[in-house]
Amino acid sequence: MSKATTAESRMVHEHVLLAISFLISFLSAPLLFAGCQKSNPLPERGSYAQQLYVDRCGVCHRPYSPASMTAAMWEAQIEAMRAKIEQAGLPPLSPEQHLTILDYLKRNAGRQ
């Protein structure tokens, strides 16, 4: 094989690799940006219950969509959070706050 043929072959190979790299980058971009999309807004936007949920539960973690769990699951989760709230040194939910948040989550809970 001559030097010219080897150089041409190398150049074609580099162009093929460049094209493949570009194609992979182009096709994988949506996957990379999928995590950057905004999540759906919480239901009952602007209501007292929604705002209380965001204000109290959003102190320690992002407020999860109520539809991410069933009503029964939310009941168990809210009970489990009582201990975590205490461990974090935060004031406990008043009985009214507890009921308001739980009712909000159950009203908007997912179905199984």
Side-chain angles (χ1 to χ4, degrees), residues 7-69:
E8 287 175 9
S9 178
R10 188 175 298 134
M11 192 166 81
V12 168
H13 182 68
E14 288 175 0
H15 281 116
V16 169
L17 288 177
L18 183 63
I20 291 171
S21 296
F22 175 75
L23 186 59
I24 290 171
S25 297
F26 180 76
L27 294 175
S28 64
L31 296 174
L32 293 173
F33 293 111
C36 297
Q37 293 177 347
K38 285 188 172 184
S39 60
N40 291 332
L42 294 171
E44 301 179 28
R45 190 172 180 93
S47 70
Y48 171 72
Q50 185 260 345
Q51 195 58 54
L52 180 64
Y53 171 59
V54 170
D55 290 347
R56 288 305 308 264
C57 301
V59 170
C60 296
H61 58 80
R62 71 175 175 83
Y64 297 100
S65 168
S68 66
M69 289 192 248

Side-chain angles (χ1 to χ4, degrees), residues 5 10 18 28 35 38-39 54 62 73 78 85-86 93 99 101 112:
T5 306
R10 188 175 298 134
L18 183 63
S28 64
K38 285 188 172 184
S39 60
V54 170
R62 71 175 175 83
M73 293 166 75
I78 293 297
I85 289 170
E86 187 177 324
L93 294 173
L99 186 59
I101 291 172
Q112 252 187 339

Side-chain angles (χ1 to χ4, degrees), residues 52 75 78-79 82 93-103:
L52 180 64
E75 286 183 28
I78 293 297
E79 275 308 310
R82 285 184 192 240
L93 294 173
S94 70
E96 294 80 18
Q97 290 174 326
H98 177 91
L99 186 59
T100 299
I101 291 172
L102 184 57
D103 285 346

